[in-house]
Amino acid sequence: MATIDGLPPLREVIRAHDLVAKKQLGQNFLLDLNLTAKIARQAGDLSGCDVLEVGPGPGGLTRGLLAEGARRVLAVEKDARCLPALAEIQAAYPGKLDVINGDALEVDVLAHLTPPIRVVANLPYNVGTELLIRWLTPANWPPFWESLTLMFQKEVAERIVAKPKGDHYGRLALLAQWRCEAKIVLHLPPEAFTPAPKVHSAVVHLTRLPGPRFPADEKILSRITAMAFNQRRKMLRSSLKGLGPDIEARLEAAGIAPTARAEEISLEGFCALAREMAK
């Protein structure tokens, strides 16, 4: 397979460094460099941006990002076995790639990045959703990133972009869409990866908005949606009764039927209820 740079094909890199994907680290390696470059392009023009990549593994997406012109890439990799392969990429792109051997849940990435910043990653399956939620719920908005271009299992991707009354609609959709534009931009079959996972994957692109689509207190909104979707098949007057004895009146004041269920309520409706509960 032709490469997008002067470095060896990824299969050779993996063989040379004896890199076998570890299930406990949620690893699945992308070996098609044309595909990794295509994923990088979904993030837009990277020439004026620092890019945060989590879980680069042998560096397939890293090479895609650099080949597509990223100003600089910060790659956070927990698996020390991958560091020699990433060092070869550093040598091919002097001053363009910084690598941190650490846990992305613990590393202070902002100490190593210069705005504007975009996040592009084939996230390890076992920490992907937790990282996304952290990036969507910073202490202050707007967040440090301009956009997130992330690969997930297809089911998780569908939960991020879901609309009301769908099977995948829930807290993750509300969290993502409250302050972002979210869309699926690529679908990938299992055979695109080594080892091939049992599920399909998808790339989601999220672009931050200047502020929320609808005003609401984040903590109140989070509590309401947690209670509502933890018992998603129950009527809201039942699932939210812990919010107070007047919950039916509050729901009606927010324009929501007390007999409605969580999956029937739009983001705007939940925000209206959060404002009502804040009174």
Side-chain angles (χ1 to χ4, degrees):
M1 181 187 299
T3 65
I4 55 176
D5 47 34
L7 293 163
L10 279 167
R11 287 192 187 279
E12 291 183 17
V13 173
I14 289 172
R15 186 163 52 246
H17 295 286
D18 194 24
L19 292 176
V20 178
K22 287 187 175 181
K23 188 174 182 180
Q24 62 265 39
L25 293 177
Q27 291 176 330
N28 294 92
F29 299 151
L30 273 170
L31 301 186
D32 185 339
L33 289 167
N34 293 312
L35 182 55
T36 64
K38 185 175 183 180
I39 294 169
R41 288 194 292 273
Q42 306 308 310
D45 182 2
L46 301 175
S47 61
C49 302
D50 277 12
V51 178
L52 170 62
E53 182 189 6
V54 174
L61 180 55
T62 315
R63 289 167 64 175
L65 292 166
L66 291 166
E68 289 299 317
R71 179 176 71 189
R72 193 167 65 92
V73 175
L74 174 66
V76 181
E77 178 53 64
K78 187 175 183 178
D79 188 355
R81 299 177 307 145
C82 297
L83 299 184
L86 294 171
E88 293 173 0
I89 303 172
Q90 283 180 301
Y93 290 92
K96 291 279 193 174
L97 173 62
D98 294 327
V99 179
I100 296 177
N101 181 204
D103 188 333
L105 294 170
E106 300 173 0
V107 173
D108 177 16
V109 296
L110 291 184
H112 305 274
L113 292 165
T114 302
I117 299 163
R118 299 183 187 180
V119 182
V120 187
N122 171 19
L123 292 174
Y125 283 163
N126 54 353
V127 296
T129 303
E130 183 174 355
L131 282 169
L132 174 62
I133 290 172
R134 287 192 183 195
W135 290 330
L136 291 174
T137 56
N140 298 294
W141 194 271
F144 73 87
W145 47 268
E146 289 189 345
S147 66
L148 307 172
T149 306
L150 307 171
M151 188 179 304
F152 294 99
Q153 294 181 28
K154 182 182 176 184
E155 183 180 350
V156 176
E158 289 174 340
R159 286 168 52 203
I160 294 167
V161 303
K163 301 301 180 185
K165 300 182 181 179
D167 291 340
H168 297 287
Y169 183 63
R171 291 188 71 205
L172 195 55
L174 293 165
L175 195 60
Q177 296 171 40
W178 184 38
R179 297 185 290 197
C180 296
E181 291 282 357
K183 59 182 178 180
I184 293 176
V185 292
L186 275 179
H187 291 274
L188 293 94
E191 55 268 26
F193 301 86
T194 298
K198 295 179 180 179
V199 297
H200 284 68
S201 300
V203 177
V204 180
H205 183 70
L206 299 103
T207 305
R208 73 183 188 192
L209 298 174
R213 293 180 188 276
F214 310 103
D217 180 277
E218 183 179 356
K219 290 183 178 179
I220 296 174
L221 181 62
S222 178
R223 186 182 178 203
I224 289 171
T225 54
M227 293 176 71
F229 284 101
N230 281 346
Q231 303 180 74
R232 60 184 298 136
R233 301 304 178 193
K234 285 192 173 183
M235 296 179 189
L236 289 173
R237 67 185 181 192
S238 298
S239 61
L240 299 180
K241 63 183 179 182
L243 292 176
D246 59 346
I247 187 59
E248 288 200 35
R250 299 269 192 169
L251 285 162
E252 290 173 348
I256 299 171
T259 55
R261 292 171 173 78
E263 64 263 30
E264 300 171 332
I265 308 304
S266 67
L267 170 60
E268 184 176 9
F270 276 114
C271 289
L273 180 57
R275 294 193 300 272
E276 182 62 31
M277 296 305 301
K279 293 178 181 178

